[in-house]
Amino acid sequence: MDTKNVDFDFLQEIFLEEAWKSIDKIDAFLDSKYSDPKNIVITKEESNQIFRVLHSFKGSAFMMGHQTIAEMIHGAEDLFSYLQEEDNINQKDLETILRLTKTVSSCVKRELKRMETGEDITDFGWAIVKRIKNFLQHIDGEEMDPNAENMQYTRKGRKIIPFQNFDGLLQKAERMVTVMGRELHKKVQIQMIGKETEVPKDIYDKISMAVMQMVKNSMDHGIESKQEREKLGKSDIGRIRIEIKRVAQKVTVAFYDDGRGLDREKILQIAEEKGVLKKEKECYTDQEIYHLLLKPGFTTKSMVSLFSGRGIGLDVVNAGVATLGGKIEIESRQHGGTTFLMEFPLL
């Protein structure tokens, strides 16, 4: 029996049970408010209670690697943070907050049902995340100063965005490499260049999420076993290198592992089986082939384990990068490693 699958299933069952309980609490709150939709009153105590439910739910989803769900819940959490901060909210805005929260609940329930039936999670939730961000940004009809890169529009007006360097991210990545290396019997060294680079907190959060997902992918599938590496004449110690640079008004992140690289023919074969090819296989460039891995649910891995495989979660990384107006490029050589190049605009 595969103990990794047993552990994964057990953790997933616990997550689903707690997730449905959280959704039930959120829906009960929404139902109580819709009983009198023309006279909505939400007390500070009520908003605080739902905020705590959302905060706990978000943490569990992030821990299990369900980033799309976590981001949706995070969006709803921001709505209730706004409710806690503001004293006089008009009925129209309250209606919008309830409607957006209801949409989050509906989207999350749909994804939870997909999980229960073994289907892949979709990326449709990013649309509601964007709607929430737009609502909070424009709630008072003002625009953010495009020249103030260290300012952000918040519920209370404008404030300085906290900047953060990547020292903490390196520590988290090192812990993940240690834990996964022990489970998978792999030795891997991780290096980060540019950890002193400072970026706005919202960009840091997206980069952090993307890097941690790629560390998991590299450890589980990208970097070969000790035996495989020895047969290929490689060092038995794998390498992960992360380079972060800030140039003018953009941040670039290069994530490299010296693992098995991407198998373009296998990717094409799976894409053909899934019916996602739009032209003849020989007409695809390497970059187009590699970008198929960023599609929702696309994976080259045949077995589900405690950890993700390359392809699982990369759609979420891509969606997270896209929400900030960024982009991803992929370079790879079979048996020669893979590099993900991410670029984020600061404005």
Side-chain angles (χ1 to χ4, degrees), residues 53-69:
V53 171
L54 292 165
H55 186 73
S56 178
F57 190 1
K58 177 191 70 175
S60 298
F62 268 127
M63 183 182 70
M64 289 297 296
H66 303 315
Q67 278 88 355
T68 307
I69 291 177

Side-chain angles (χ1 to χ4, degrees), residues 21 65 70 75 113 117 124 126 139 155 162-163 181 210 231 277 280 282 290-291 344:
K21 287 180 181 179
K113 289 175 183 176
T117 57
F124 298 139
W126 291 101
I139 195 167
R155 358 287 190 227
F163 273 57
K231 288 180 181 178
L277 296 183
E280 296 297 321
E282 56 269 17
Y290 299 152
H291 268 72
F344 298 83

Side-chain angles (χ1 to χ4, degrees), residues 328-342:
I328 299 178
E329 298 295 330
I330 305 172
E331 298 175 358
S332 185
R333 287 187 303 113
Q334 194 165 1
H335 305 306
T338 302
T339 300
F340 289 87
L341 300 166
M342 296 178 285

Side-chain angles (χ1 to χ4, degrees), residues 155-340:
R155 358 287 190 227
K156 293 294 188 180
R158 298 181 182 189
K159 72 176 184 181
I160 299 294
I161 298 177
F163 273 57
Q164 187 166 343
N165 66 31
F166 292 91
D167 191 54
L169 175 58
L170 175 59
Q171 294 174 27
K172 287 169 59 180
E174 287 174 336
R175 285 196 297 270
M176 179 174 286
V177 166
T178 299
V179 171
M180 292 188 69
R182 185 166 56 241
E183 291 291 326
L184 299 171
H185 307 292
K186 295 179 180 180
K187 290 184 178 181
V188 177
Q189 292 180 340
I190 186 167
Q191 176 188 22
M192 181 179 288
I193 299 170
K195 65 179 182 179
E196 70 283 352
T197 304
E198 293 188 336
V199 298
K201 182 66 164 57
D202 58 340
I203 293 180
Y204 170 86
D205 289 340
K206 287 293 188 296
I207 292 176
S208 178
M209 179 272 290
V211 167
M212 293 302 287
Q213 183 64 50
M214 283 190 268
V215 169
K216 286 199 294 183
N217 290 344
S218 291
M219 288 296 298
D220 189 33
H221 185 64
I223 295 176
E224 312 92 334
S225 67
K226 178 180 177 181
Q227 294 77 11
E228 287 180 90
R229 293 179 68 86
E230 287 177 346
K231 288 180 181 178
L232 292 168
K234 293 183 175 182
S235 165
D236 62 349
I237 300 177
R239 291 191 301 118
I240 293 174
R241 186 176 72 249
I242 305 162
E243 297 182 9
I244 303 171
K245 296 179 182 178
R246 177 174 175 175
V247 181
Q249 298 303 321
K250 67 181 180 181
V251 175
T252 60
V253 181
F255 182 97
Y256 166 79
D257 71 46
D258 71 341
R260 57 172 51 90
L262 301 177
D263 187 336
R264 67 187 308 278
E265 295 305 319
K266 185 175 183 180
I267 296 171
L268 277 174
Q269 177 188 340
I270 294 172
E272 186 175 37
E273 292 171 357
K274 288 179 173 287
V276 299
L277 296 183
K278 304 299 182 182
K279 54 187 177 182
E280 296 297 321
K281 289 192 292 186
E282 56 269 17
C283 296
Y284 278 84
T285 66
D286 286 351
Q287 194 61 218
E288 289 174 324
I289 294 171
Y290 299 152
H291 268 72
L292 292 170
L293 291 171
L294 304 179
K295 290 183 174 294
F298 194 101
T299 177
T300 60
K301 196 168 186 186
S302 58
M303 295 292 291
V304 175
S305 69
L306 178 61
F307 307 113
S308 59
R310 192 180 299 281
I312 300 176
L314 291 184
D315 59 319
V316 176
V317 171
N318 186 45
V321 172
T323 59
L324 292 175
K327 61 181 181 179
I328 299 178
E329 298 295 330
I330 305 172
E331 298 175 358
S332 185
R333 287 187 303 113
Q334 194 165 1
H335 305 306
T338 302
T339 300
F340 289 87

